[in-house]
Amino acid sequence: MKHIKLRDLDVSRIGLGTMGMSFAYTGAGTDDAESMRTIHRALDLGVTLIDTAEIYGPFTNEELVGRAIEGRRDEVVLATKFGMISHAGGGPGILDSSPANIRTAVEGSLARLGTDHIDLYYQHRVDPGTPIEDTIGALAELVAEGKIRHIGLSEAGVATIRRAHAVHPITALQSEYSLWTRDPEAAVLPLLRELNIGFVAYSPLGRGFLTGKIRSTEQFDATDFRATNPRFTEENFPRNLSLADEVAAVAAEVGATPAQVALAWLLAQGDDIAPIPGTKRVSRVEENAAADGVELTGAQIAKLTALPPAAGDHHNEAQMRTIDR
């Protein structure tokens, strides 16, 4: 597995998102043993960047990751997130990046993860009720104390990124980026490159859509958050299937899977981008990690880049309101 730098943080250029092992997707939380095998296999394959968050569960995903990395902590660049749970009484889903909440959150994450430090600690969503300078100031104190090593932001806009970076260097921004979510390209990626901030791409496979395996929303159970996602509605789903089919056509040319082609396209966008495809299955982590060796031609990259945008927003209305733009 090749490595890249997120600012000065060395990571495998393909990571592992663990959210779906415990939260949000069909089958989440039903097979922790397979999920732990998946994390172990990722490490065996040279994946170092493992991504979780306190809101996933909530809390259960961090506990799972903590169990899985026990005895292998030195192989892991451990990333987690705070700010979508108010520990002062608001509970899950309430944005709170106040310094006091950060203190409570980090201690909880350290305990659940079974570690004395977090390598990359993200603000999960920008809190409009707390100046970003106050949030980053509190995180800078945690860096000085050794509880966290690097500071990250997630789904932050350009103005917030500049203000945050002026207080303390930001190592990485994590936001959605894939063949069907191209939002960061216009303004965010140029700013990150100006400031030497790395980019971690979540949902690089379009929540599974770009794998070509999802052909009907009937594949989801009632707990699956894709059921409320605009791209999976009765109107938009058939239109978006054509995008998956185009990816599959390139995959047939390359002799790779559609998932590998979608990841290879993302890797071709820059050596400062680390996608974190999520899975809870060993076979899928093996497939995703192998994308590191897939090389697309210039013509294939251009063909994929020219695909039309996906139909529908990439989050539902409530989730879109939490994205800083």
Side-chain angles (χ1 to χ4, degrees):
M1 174 74 69
K2 300 181 186 72
H3 281 226
I4 64 163
K5 288 288 186 71
L6 303 172
R7 194 169 186 85
D8 57 351
L9 178 62
D10 182 273
V11 298
S12 57
R13 73 169 185 164
I14 298 175
L16 173 63
T18 64
M19 180 185 78
M21 296 176 178
S22 309
F23 182 73
Y25 287 103
T26 298
T30 60
D31 194 344
D32 283 358
E34 175 69 1
S35 293
M36 290 182 67
R37 286 192 291 270
T38 299
I39 294 172
H40 294 158
R41 183 62 178 142
L43 297 177
D44 293 342
L45 292 167
V47 173
T48 64
L49 181 59
I50 306 295
D51 185 272
T52 181
E54 64 171 3
I55 191 66
Y56 300 160
F59 308 127
T60 54
N61 192 244
E62 285 186 328
E63 292 168 351
L64 174 68
V65 170
R67 294 195 302 274
I69 66 173
E70 185 177 359
R72 304 186 70 170
R73 177 67 181 88
D74 59 351
E75 300 175 52
V76 178
V77 177
L78 186 57
T80 191
K81 312 176 200 72
F82 70 90
M84 291 192 75
I85 299 176
S86 175
H87 295 281
I94 303 300
L95 298 183
D96 188 347
S97 288
S98 64
N101 201 62
I102 291 171
R103 285 278 171 183
T104 303
V106 75
E107 295 300 339
S109 289
L110 289 168
R112 288 185 291 274
L113 292 164
T115 186
D116 63 355
H117 72 281
I118 294 161
D119 296 299
L120 179 55
Y121 199 43
Y122 293 99
Q123 180 192 40
H124 205 154
R125 291 290 185 271
V126 176
D127 173 13
T130 304
I132 194 65
E133 291 81 2
D134 293 353
T135 296
I136 302 302
L139 294 171
E141 291 177 2
L142 295 179
V143 172
E145 295 167 17
K147 293 184 176 182
I148 67 174
R149 300 282 173 85
H150 297 267
I151 297 172
L153 300 172
S154 181
E155 292 289 10
V158 292
T160 299
I161 295 167
R162 280 196 184 278
R163 288 169 56 197
H165 192 71
V167 176
H168 186 281
I170 302 301
T171 295
L173 175 78
Q174 181 179 142
S175 292
E176 185 169 351
Y177 187 30
S178 71
L179 272 169
W180 81 339
T181 301
R182 308 278 293 278
D183 306 49
E185 293 178 343
V188 169
L189 274 172
L191 174 64
L192 298 183
R193 286 164 177 162
E194 174 193 332
L195 299 178
N196 188 27
I197 298 171
F199 189 93
V200 175
Y202 77 80
S203 293
L205 300 178
R207 297 181 178 82
F209 209 108
L210 296 174
T211 68
K213 303 288 186 184
I214 299 173
R215 308 304 294 183
S216 167
T217 56
E218 293 181 3
Q219 295 171 239
F220 307 149
D221 67 23
T223 67
D224 199 308
F225 84 130
R226 287 172 292 188
T228 67
N229 186 287
R231 294 187 177 173
F232 293 85
T233 62
E234 184 176 345
E235 177 186 3
N236 292 330
F237 189 91
R239 297 164 61 187
N240 289 328
L241 279 178
S242 63
L243 295 177
D245 292 341
E246 292 286 348
V247 176
V250 173
E253 294 176 9
V254 177
T257 68
Q260 290 168 341
V261 165
L263 291 170
W265 176 86
L266 199 50
L267 295 173
Q269 305 312 303
D271 59 6
D272 51 356
I273 297 173
I276 49 168
T279 184
K280 56 181 181 291
R281 297 186 179 91
V282 169
S283 60
R284 291 288 175 247
V285 84
E286 292 174 339
E287 176 186 352
N288 294 340
D292 183 47
V294 173
E295 297 290 339
L296 302 175
T297 66
Q300 289 165 339
I301 292 170
K303 180 179 180 180
L304 292 167
T305 302
L307 290 175
D313 276 338
H314 56 106
H315 287 293
N316 65 33
E317 186 176 343
Q319 292 162 341
M320 289 298 291
R321 285 196 296 269
T322 70
I323 293 177
D324 184 47
R325 288 173 285 177

